[in-house]
Amino acid sequence: MLMSNFLRDRKSTREYKNKEVSKDILEKVIDYGKEIEKEIGDENFRFLLLKNGDKVYKTLEGKGGYSGVMIKSPHYIALETLDSSRDSIIKGAYAMEKLITKATEYSLGTCWISIENVDGQIKKELCNNLDGDVNYILAIGYPTPKNPFIQEPDSCRLSIEDIVYKDEIGKNISAEELENRGLSDLFFYVRFAPSSFNNQPWRFILKDSKIILILMKEEDKVSFIDAGIIMYYFENMATAIGVTGKWNLINCEDVEVNGTSYSYIGEFNI
Ligand SMILES: Cc1cc2nc3c(=O)[nH]c(=O)nc-3n(C[C@H](O)[C@H](O)[C@H](O)COP(=O)(O)O)c2cc1C
């Protein structure tokens, strides 16, 4: 499927059929996960299949998800980060979106679930012990059919003007310049990436032949998980428009503009 269509049409699935995913498909997804671990960094993260969704749901009911609203699905995949560094979280999130893309090919729905505030002992019991930590799990299963007569509300997205700047944070870039540089579609579609609480903390600065990714801090925290997710979609959308490249992670001091703090994450050559 075209990456632009994939991004435009993707949505988190919160209602699943009460039906297990076939053994064959589940194995294919997990085998692909193993490949991704090796490719992106098995020293940074690993995926754990939590096959018994009932057990996970019962254990995390009232504890996992936004305000303890747990999502019920036949299976879950835990993202275990092997250390708490920025790079491990970013790589893990990037890899999880790659796995989600594969799951979608098998008509599976998914939804990230935050379990940051769940007790460490409970997480260990769920995952049969852990070397690192699990702050996010992915619900995975067959989505319940949508009623074609009911238009479901879309999660809203910021506009391109709100997230793309020229040369420095806060300095607007014209739609014409983005169009002339062939970047309009790229920024239009990456906005559909999922983010925690739909916060969409990503901001991009176009500077000469580079795009710099910065993340807006919320309550003095930067969500590296959201950084990894947007980096995955950005690279894939860029490839789709003929710009091949990879993000380089950068280390720069945080900046504060008009009372908002931003962290520098990476650079992409265009
Ligand atoms: C890191 C992360 C954590 C999330 N945690 C939850 C969650 O705990 N519960 C939930 O219902 N949705 C969760 N979501 C889904 C987001 O709310 C959703 O992606 C966002 O609102 C945009 O909606 P969409 O994915 O349907 O486009 C999470 C998403 C991400 C990326």
Side-chain angles (χ1 to χ4, degrees):
M1 193 202 278
L2 280 179
M3 187 41 81
S4 50
N5 291 352
F6 175 81
L7 271 165
R8 192 196 51 211
D9 299 338
R10 62 148 301 287
K11 266 193 187 146
S12 299
T13 300
R14 295 190 174 86
E15 307 266 342
Y16 295 87
K17 284 185 187 165
N18 187 10
K19 177 184 170 197
E20 293 207 345
V21 175
S22 76
K23 191 169 168 276
D24 176 45
I25 291 181
L26 213 46
E27 262 172 24
K28 283 189 176 135
V29 173
I30 288 308
D31 287 350
Y32 186 65
K34 293 269 164 266
E35 275 175 39
I36 307 175
E37 284 173 12
K38 283 204 198 83
E39 177 195 320
I40 299 173
D42 52 9
E43 68 286 10
N44 301 103
F45 70 91
R46 62 171 83 112
F47 298 119
L48 307 170
L49 173 66
L50 310 179
K51 197 167 177 300
N52 185 345
D54 271 350
K55 181 181 155 203
V56 176
Y57 180 72
K58 282 186 187 123
T59 310
L60 294 179
E61 215 182 344
K63 301 184 182 77
Y66 298 153
S67 311
V69 181
M70 185 56 192
I71 293 166
K72 190 169 171 39
S73 65
H75 315 287
Y76 299 85
I77 296 174
L79 173 63
E80 180 182 12
T81 32
L82 297 173
D83 60 62
S84 56
S85 68
R86 173 187 81 162
D87 292 17
S88 289
I89 300 171
I90 287 180
K91 284 184 184 180
Y94 180 106
M96 185 63 111
E97 282 303 328
K98 193 164 177 166
L99 192 65
I100 291 173
T101 310
K102 176 58 90 186
T104 311
E105 284 173 24
Y106 296 116
S107 307
L108 295 170
T110 60
C111 186
W112 286 84
I113 302 171
S114 317
I115 61 161
E116 281 168 297
N117 299 326
V118 172
D119 179 75
Q121 195 52 38
I122 295 180
K123 292 186 200 175
K124 277 191 178 161
E125 280 163 22
L126 269 184
C127 301
N128 278 333
N129 234 338
L130 287 170
D131 292 321
D133 198 3
V134 173
N135 287 318
Y136 300 93
I137 59 174
L138 188 77
I140 184 164
Y142 297 110
T144 51
K146 299 265 173 280
N147 182 336
F149 298 104
I150 297 176
Q151 173 74 41
E152 303 224 354
D154 284 331
S155 314
C156 57
R157 290 298 192 272
L158 296 171
S159 60
I160 297 181
E161 301 88 89
D162 294 325
I163 60 167
V164 187
Y165 306 126
K166 187 185 163 83
D167 297 330
E168 61 189 70
I169 298 165
K171 197 173 156 197
N172 287 341
I173 186 158
S174 68
E176 198 182 10
E177 180 168 356
L178 284 178
E179 190 62 43
N180 290 342
R181 296 190 66 166
L183 296 171
S184 298
D185 279 0
L186 173 59
F187 287 117
F188 178 81
Y189 288 108
V190 293
R191 297 176 308 129
F192 294 99
S195 60
S196 181
F197 293 101
N198 201 23
N199 275 342
Q200 307 162 65
W202 355 273
R203 301 291 179 270
F204 303 91
I205 304 172
L206 186 59
K207 198 168 187 185
D208 306 321
S209 59
K210 276 188 189 350
I211 294 173
I212 302 161
L213 172 64
I214 51 174
L215 244 68
M216 206 172 88
K217 289 170 99 175
E218 306 267 341
E219 290 167 7
D220 215 35
K221 270 180 64 187
V222 52
S223 175
F224 295 123
I225 206 92
D226 290 328
I229 295 172
I230 199 77
M231 287 160 92
Y232 171 77
Y233 285 117
F234 189 99
E235 278 181 13
N236 283 279
M237 247 329 278
T239 307
I241 60 163
V243 182
T244 44
K246 291 246 164 233
W247 286 101
N248 289 319
L249 293 173
I250 50 175
N251 292 302
C252 293
E253 286 273 299
D254 290 355
V255 282
E256 203 178 305
V257 179
N258 297 332
T260 305
S261 272
Y262 300 87
S263 274
Y264 281 88
I265 304 289
E267 284 180 349
F268 188 98
N269 285 318
I270 43 166

Short mmCIF file of all heavy atoms in Angstrom, two decimals, residues 7 10-14 64-67 69-71 93 97 110-116 135-137 153-157 191-200 223 225-226 229, ligand 1:
data_model
loop_
_atom_site.label_atom_id
_atom_site.label_comp_id
_atom_site.label_asym_id
_atom_site.label_seq_id
_atom_site.Cartn_x
_atom_site.Cartn_y
_atom_site.Cartn_z
N LEU A 7 -0.84 6.18 5.81
CA LEU A 7 -0.84 7.17 6.89
C LEU A 7 -2.20 7.86 7.01
O LEU A 7 -2.71 8.04 8.11
CB LEU A 7 0.25 8.21 6.63
CG LEU A 7 1.61 7.86 7.23
CD1 LEU A 7 2.69 8.74 6.64
CD2 LEU A 7 1.60 7.99 8.73
N ARG A 10 -4.76 5.24 8.46
CA ARG A 10 -4.48 4.49 9.69
C ARG A 10 -5.20 5.12 10.88
O ARG A 10 -5.44 6.32 10.92
CB ARG A 10 -2.97 4.39 9.96
CG ARG A 10 -2.27 5.74 10.17
CD ARG A 10 -1.11 5.66 11.11
NE ARG A 10 -1.48 5.18 12.43
CZ ARG A 10 -2.16 5.92 13.31
NH1 ARG A 10 -2.55 7.15 13.04
NH2 ARG A 10 -2.47 5.42 14.49
N LYS A 11 -5.58 4.26 11.80
CA LYS A 11 -6.25 4.72 13.02
C LYS A 11 -5.96 3.72 14.11
O LYS A 11 -5.80 2.54 13.81
CB LYS A 11 -7.77 4.71 12.80
CG LYS A 11 -8.34 6.00 12.35
CD LYS A 11 -9.83 6.00 12.47
CE LYS A 11 -10.34 7.28 11.83
NZ LYS A 11 -11.57 7.14 11.18
N SER A 12 -5.93 4.15 15.34
CA SER A 12 -5.77 3.19 16.43
C SER A 12 -7.06 2.39 16.53
O SER A 12 -8.15 2.94 16.41
CB SER A 12 -5.54 3.94 17.73
OG SER A 12 -4.36 4.71 17.65
N THR A 13 -6.91 1.08 16.75
CA THR A 13 -8.08 0.21 16.91
C THR A 13 -8.30 -0.04 18.40
O THR A 13 -7.39 -0.52 19.08
CB THR A 13 -7.84 -1.14 16.18
OG1 THR A 13 -7.62 -0.86 14.80
CG2 THR A 13 -9.02 -2.08 16.33
N ARG A 14 -9.49 0.28 18.88
CA ARG A 14 -9.75 0.08 20.31
C ARG A 14 -10.80 -0.99 20.57
O ARG A 14 -11.05 -1.35 21.71
CB ARG A 14 -10.14 1.41 20.96
CG ARG A 14 -8.98 2.42 20.95
CD ARG A 14 -9.25 3.64 21.79
NE ARG A 14 -8.08 4.50 21.87
CZ ARG A 14 -7.76 5.44 20.98
NH1 ARG A 14 -8.55 5.66 19.94
NH2 ARG A 14 -6.68 6.18 21.13
N GLY A 64 -3.67 -0.09 33.25
CA GLY A 64 -2.99 0.27 32.00
C GLY A 64 -3.89 1.15 31.14
O GLY A 64 -5.10 1.20 31.33
N GLY A 65 -3.29 1.89 30.21
CA GLY A 65 -4.08 2.76 29.32
C GLY A 65 -4.33 4.11 29.95
O GLY A 65 -3.98 4.33 31.12
N TYR A 66 -4.89 5.02 29.15
CA TYR A 66 -5.16 6.37 29.67
C TYR A 66 -6.09 6.27 30.88
O TYR A 66 -7.17 5.67 30.78
CB TYR A 66 -5.86 7.24 28.61
CG TYR A 66 -5.07 7.49 27.34
CD1 TYR A 66 -5.74 7.75 26.15
CD2 TYR A 66 -3.68 7.53 27.33
CE1 TYR A 66 -5.04 8.02 24.97
CE2 TYR A 66 -2.98 7.78 26.16
CZ TYR A 66 -3.66 8.02 24.99
OH TYR A 66 -2.97 8.28 23.84
N SER A 67 -5.71 6.83 31.98
CA SER A 67 -6.49 6.82 33.24
C SER A 67 -7.00 5.44 33.59
O SER A 67 -8.10 5.29 34.12
CB SER A 67 -7.69 7.77 33.13
OG SER A 67 -7.31 9.00 32.64
N VAL A 69 -7.97 3.09 31.60
CA VAL A 69 -8.94 2.52 30.66
C VAL A 69 -8.17 1.57 29.72
O VAL A 69 -7.56 1.99 28.74
CB VAL A 69 -9.69 3.61 29.84
CG1 VAL A 69 -10.70 2.95 28.89
CG2 VAL A 69 -10.37 4.59 30.77
N MET A 70 -8.19 0.30 30.10
CA MET A 70 -7.42 -0.71 29.37
C MET A 70 -8.18 -1.13 28.11
O MET A 70 -9.41 -1.14 28.09
CB MET A 70 -7.20 -1.88 30.31
CG MET A 70 -6.33 -2.98 29.80
SD MET A 70 -4.68 -2.42 29.28
CE MET A 70 -4.14 -3.88 28.41
N ILE A 71 -7.44 -1.42 27.07
CA ILE A 71 -8.06 -1.85 25.80
C ILE A 71 -7.98 -3.38 25.72
O ILE A 71 -6.93 -3.97 25.98
CB ILE A 71 -7.31 -1.20 24.61
CG1 ILE A 71 -7.57 0.31 24.66
CG2 ILE A 71 -7.75 -1.79 23.28
CD1 ILE A 71 -6.66 1.12 23.78
N ALA A 93 10.59 2.53 19.50
CA ALA A 93 9.34 3.09 18.96
C ALA A 93 9.34 3.01 17.44
O ALA A 93 8.33 2.64 16.81
CB ALA A 93 9.20 4.55 19.40
N GLU A 97 6.63 0.76 15.09
CA GLU A 97 5.79 1.22 13.96
C GLU A 97 6.06 0.38 12.71
O GLU A 97 5.16 0.14 11.92
CB GLU A 97 6.04 2.71 13.66
CG GLU A 97 5.34 3.65 14.62
CD GLU A 97 3.82 3.48 14.72
OE1 GLU A 97 3.16 3.11 13.74
OE2 GLU A 97 3.30 3.74 15.82
N THR A 110 -4.27 -2.37 15.52
CA THR A 110 -3.35 -2.24 16.67
C THR A 110 -3.66 -0.95 17.42
O THR A 110 -4.25 -0.02 16.87
CB THR A 110 -1.87 -2.16 16.20
OG1 THR A 110 -1.72 -1.02 15.34
CG2 THR A 110 -1.41 -3.40 15.49
N CYS A 111 -3.22 -0.92 18.67
CA CYS A 111 -3.26 0.36 19.43
C CYS A 111 -2.16 0.32 20.48
O CYS A 111 -2.03 -0.65 21.23
CB CYS A 111 -4.62 0.55 20.11
SG CYS A 111 -4.77 2.17 20.90
N TRP A 112 -1.36 1.36 20.53
CA TRP A 112 -0.37 1.51 21.60
C TRP A 112 -1.14 1.69 22.91
O TRP A 112 -2.16 2.39 22.94
CB TRP A 112 0.45 2.77 21.39
CG TRP A 112 1.48 2.78 20.32
CD1 TRP A 112 1.28 3.04 19.00
CD2 TRP A 112 2.90 2.59 20.49
NE1 TRP A 112 2.48 3.02 18.33
CE2 TRP A 112 3.49 2.74 19.22
CE3 TRP A 112 3.72 2.31 21.58
CZ2 TRP A 112 4.86 2.63 19.02
CZ3 TRP A 112 5.09 2.19 21.38
CH2 TRP A 112 5.65 2.34 20.12
N ILE A 113 -0.62 1.09 23.97
CA ILE A 113 -1.21 1.31 25.30
C ILE A 113 -0.08 1.68 26.26
O ILE A 113 0.94 0.98 26.33
CB ILE A 113 -1.91 0.02 25.81
CG1 ILE A 113 -2.99 -0.42 24.81
CG2 ILE A 113 -2.51 0.25 27.20
CD1 ILE A 113 -3.58 -1.79 25.13
N SER A 114 -0.28 2.77 26.99
CA SER A 114 0.75 3.22 27.93
C SER A 114 0.60 2.46 29.25
O SER A 114 -0.50 2.42 29.81
CB SER A 114 0.57 4.70 28.24
OG SER A 114 0.29 5.41 27.06
N ILE A 115 1.70 1.87 29.70
CA ILE A 115 1.63 1.22 31.03
C ILE A 115 2.77 1.74 31.92
O ILE A 115 3.25 1.04 32.81
CB ILE A 115 1.63 -0.33 30.93
CG1 ILE A 115 2.89 -0.88 30.26
CG2 ILE A 115 0.40 -0.85 30.21
CD1 ILE A 115 3.13 -2.37 30.57
N GLU A 116 3.17 2.99 31.64
CA GLU A 116 4.27 3.60 32.40
C GLU A 116 4.05 3.57 33.91
O GLU A 116 4.99 3.41 34.67
CB GLU A 116 4.40 5.08 32.00
CG GLU A 116 5.11 5.32 30.71
CD GLU A 116 4.93 6.76 30.26
OE1 GLU A 116 3.77 7.14 30.01
OE2 GLU A 116 5.93 7.47 30.17
N ASN A 135 7.19 0.05 29.05
CA ASN A 135 6.30 1.17 29.34
C ASN A 135 5.14 1.24 28.35
O ASN A 135 4.19 1.99 28.57
CB ASN A 135 7.08 2.49 29.30
CG ASN A 135 7.96 2.61 30.53
OD1 ASN A 135 7.54 2.28 31.63
ND2 ASN A 135 9.21 3.02 30.33
N TYR A 136 5.24 0.46 27.28
CA TYR A 136 4.17 0.45 26.27
C TYR A 136 3.94 -0.96 25.79
O TYR A 136 4.90 -1.72 25.60
CB TYR A 136 4.56 1.34 25.06
CG TYR A 136 4.80 2.76 25.47
CD1 TYR A 136 6.07 3.20 25.79
CD2 TYR A 136 3.72 3.64 25.63
CE1 TYR A 136 6.30 4.49 26.23
CE2 TYR A 136 3.93 4.94 26.06
CZ TYR A 136 5.23 5.35 26.36
OH TYR A 136 5.43 6.62 26.80
N ILE A 137 2.67 -1.30 25.62
CA ILE A 137 2.35 -2.55 24.95
C ILE A 137 1.42 -2.22 23.78
O ILE A 137 0.81 -1.14 23.75
CB ILE A 137 1.70 -3.59 25.90
CG1 ILE A 137 0.39 -3.05 26.51
CG2 ILE A 137 2.66 -4.00 27.01
CD1 ILE A 137 -0.36 -4.08 27.35
N PRO A 153 -15.55 9.81 14.47
CA PRO A 153 -14.77 11.06 14.51
C PRO A 153 -13.28 10.76 14.32
O PRO A 153 -12.77 9.78 14.87
CB PRO A 153 -15.03 11.59 15.92
CG PRO A 153 -15.52 10.43 16.70
CD PRO A 153 -16.12 9.44 15.75
N ASP A 154 -12.62 11.56 13.50
CA ASP A 154 -11.18 11.40 13.33
C ASP A 154 -10.46 12.11 14.47
O ASP A 154 -10.96 13.11 14.98
CB ASP A 154 -10.72 12.07 12.02
CG ASP A 154 -11.10 11.22 10.81
OD1 ASP A 154 -11.17 10.00 10.96
OD2 ASP A 154 -11.32 11.81 9.74
N SER A 155 -9.28 11.59 14.84
CA SER A 155 -8.48 12.33 15.83
C SER A 155 -7.93 13.54 15.09
O SER A 155 -7.42 13.40 13.98
CB SER A 155 -7.32 11.49 16.31
OG SER A 155 -7.73 10.21 16.62
N CYS A 156 -8.06 14.72 15.70
CA CYS A 156 -7.66 15.91 14.96
C CYS A 156 -6.13 16.01 14.85
O CYS A 156 -5.41 15.39 15.62
CB CYS A 156 -8.24 17.15 15.59
SG CYS A 156 -7.76 17.28 17.28
N ARG A 157 -5.68 16.76 13.87
CA ARG A 157 -4.25 16.94 13.65
C ARG A 157 -3.94 18.42 13.51
O ARG A 157 -4.76 19.21 13.02
CB ARG A 157 -3.81 16.22 12.38
CG ARG A 157 -3.84 14.69 12.47
CD ARG A 157 -2.89 14.17 13.54
NE ARG A 157 -2.66 12.74 13.49
CZ ARG A 157 -3.40 11.81 14.11
NH1 ARG A 157 -4.44 12.16 14.83
NH2 ARG A 157 -3.08 10.54 14.03
N ARG A 191 1.80 14.05 9.50
CA ARG A 191 0.97 14.53 10.61
C ARG A 191 0.00 13.46 11.13
O ARG A 191 -0.51 13.56 12.22
CB ARG A 191 0.12 15.74 10.18
CG ARG A 191 0.93 16.94 9.77
CD ARG A 191 0.01 18.05 9.26
NE ARG A 191 -0.90 17.56 8.24
CZ ARG A 191 -2.22 17.73 8.25
NH1 ARG A 191 -2.78 18.44 9.20
NH2 ARG A 191 -2.98 17.24 7.29
N PHE A 192 -0.26 12.44 10.29
CA PHE A 192 -1.20 11.40 10.71
C PHE A 192 -0.55 10.33 11.58
O PHE A 192 -1.20 9.37 11.98
CB PHE A 192 -1.87 10.75 9.48
CG PHE A 192 -2.75 11.72 8.74
CD1 PHE A 192 -2.30 12.36 7.59
CD2 PHE A 192 -4.02 12.03 9.22
CE1 PHE A 192 -3.10 13.27 6.92
CE2 PHE A 192 -4.81 12.94 8.56
CZ PHE A 192 -4.36 13.57 7.41
N ALA A 193 0.73 10.49 11.87
CA ALA A 193 1.40 9.54 12.78
C ALA A 193 0.69 9.56 14.13
O ALA A 193 0.20 10.62 14.56
CB ALA A 193 2.86 9.95 12.95
N PRO A 194 0.63 8.42 14.80
CA PRO A 194 0.03 8.43 16.14
C PRO A 194 0.99 9.06 17.15
O PRO A 194 2.21 9.10 16.91
CB PRO A 194 -0.16 6.94 16.45
CG PRO A 194 0.88 6.24 15.65
CD PRO A 194 1.13 7.09 14.43
N SER A 195 0.45 9.56 18.22
CA SER A 195 1.32 10.05 19.30
C SER A 195 0.59 9.87 20.61
O SER A 195 -0.64 9.78 20.65
CB SER A 195 1.68 11.53 19.08
OG SER A 195 0.51 12.32 19.05
N SER A 196 1.36 9.82 21.67
CA SER A 196 0.79 9.61 23.00
C SER A 196 -0.15 10.77 23.35
O SER A 196 0.24 11.93 23.22
CB SER A 196 1.98 9.54 23.96
OG SER A 196 1.55 9.31 25.23
N PHE A 197 -1.36 10.46 23.75
CA PHE A 197 -2.40 11.47 24.04
C PHE A 197 -2.70 12.36 22.83
O PHE A 197 -3.22 13.45 22.98
CB PHE A 197 -2.05 12.35 25.25
CG PHE A 197 -2.01 11.59 26.54
CD1 PHE A 197 -0.81 11.18 27.11
CD2 PHE A 197 -3.18 11.26 27.20
CE1 PHE A 197 -0.77 10.46 28.29
CE2 PHE A 197 -3.15 10.54 28.40
CZ PHE A 197 -1.95 10.14 28.94
N ASN A 198 -2.31 11.91 21.66
CA ASN A 198 -2.44 12.70 20.44
C ASN A 198 -1.81 14.09 20.60
O ASN A 198 -2.26 15.08 20.05
CB ASN A 198 -3.91 12.83 20.02
CG ASN A 198 -4.07 13.17 18.54
OD1 ASN A 198 -3.18 12.91 17.73
ND2 ASN A 198 -5.18 13.79 18.20
N ASN A 199 -0.71 14.13 21.36
CA ASN A 199 -0.06 15.42 21.66
C ASN A 199 0.65 16.05 20.47
O ASN A 199 0.89 17.25 20.46
CB ASN A 199 0.98 15.24 22.78
CG ASN A 199 0.34 15.31 24.13
OD1 ASN A 199 -0.78 15.82 24.27
ND2 ASN A 199 1.01 14.80 25.15
N GLN A 200 1.04 15.21 19.50
CA GLN A 200 1.73 15.69 18.29
C GLN A 200 2.85 16.67 18.65
O GLN A 200 2.86 17.83 18.21
CB GLN A 200 0.74 16.36 17.34
CG GLN A 200 -0.47 15.49 17.01
CD GLN A 200 -1.63 16.27 16.44
OE1 GLN A 200 -1.52 16.83 15.36
NE2 GLN A 200 -2.72 16.35 17.19
N SER A 223 8.93 13.25 25.01
CA SER A 223 8.43 11.91 24.72
C SER A 223 9.23 11.29 23.57
O SER A 223 8.88 11.43 22.40
CB SER A 223 6.94 11.99 24.36
OG SER A 223 6.50 10.72 23.97
N ILE A 225 9.41 8.37 22.73
CA ILE A 225 8.63 7.35 22.02
C ILE A 225 7.95 8.01 20.80
O ILE A 225 7.94 7.45 19.71
CB ILE A 225 7.62 6.67 23.00
CG1 ILE A 225 7.29 5.27 22.53
CG2 ILE A 225 6.39 7.44 23.24
CD1 ILE A 225 8.14 4.20 23.10
N ASP A 226 7.42 9.22 21.00
CA ASP A 226 6.78 9.92 19.88
C ASP A 226 7.81 10.32 18.83
O ASP A 226 7.50 10.41 17.64
CB ASP A 226 6.02 11.16 20.39
CG ASP A 226 4.79 10.78 21.20
OD1 ASP A 226 4.19 9.73 20.89
OD2 ASP A 226 4.44 11.51 22.14
N ILE A 229 8.50 7.28 16.60
CA ILE A 229 7.35 7.01 15.71
C ILE A 229 7.38 7.96 14.51
O ILE A 229 7.26 7.53 13.36
CB ILE A 229 6.02 7.14 16.49
CG1 ILE A 229 5.94 6.06 17.57
CG2 ILE A 229 4.83 7.07 15.55
CD1 ILE A 229 4.76 6.21 18.53
C1 LIG B 1 3.14 6.02 22.66
C2 LIG B 1 1.64 5.97 22.56
C3 LIG B 1 0.89 5.60 23.66
C4 LIG B 1 -0.51 5.51 23.54
N1 LIG B 1 -1.24 5.10 24.62
C5 LIG B 1 -2.57 4.93 24.49
C6 LIG B 1 -3.35 4.45 25.57
O1 LIG B 1 -2.83 4.14 26.64
N2 LIG B 1 -4.67 4.31 25.39
C7 LIG B 1 -5.30 4.64 24.21
O2 LIG B 1 -6.52 4.51 24.10
N3 LIG B 1 -4.59 5.12 23.15
C8 LIG B 1 -3.25 5.25 23.27
N4 LIG B 1 -2.52 5.72 22.21
C9 LIG B 1 -3.18 6.05 20.93
C10 LIG B 1 -3.23 7.56 20.71
O3 LIG B 1 -4.15 8.15 21.59
C11 LIG B 1 -3.62 7.82 19.25
O4 LIG B 1 -2.57 7.37 18.42
C12 LIG B 1 -3.89 9.28 18.95
O5 LIG B 1 -4.96 9.73 19.72
C13 LIG B 1 -4.18 9.52 17.47
O6 LIG B 1 -5.28 8.74 17.06
P1 LIG B 1 -5.15 7.69 15.87
O7 LIG B 1 -4.02 6.73 16.21
O8 LIG B 1 -6.47 6.99 15.78
O9 LIG B 1 -4.82 8.48 14.63
C14 LIG B 1 -1.15 5.82 22.31
C15 LIG B 1 -0.36 6.19 21.22
C16 LIG B 1 1.02 6.26 21.32
C17 LIG B 1 1.81 6.62 20.12
#
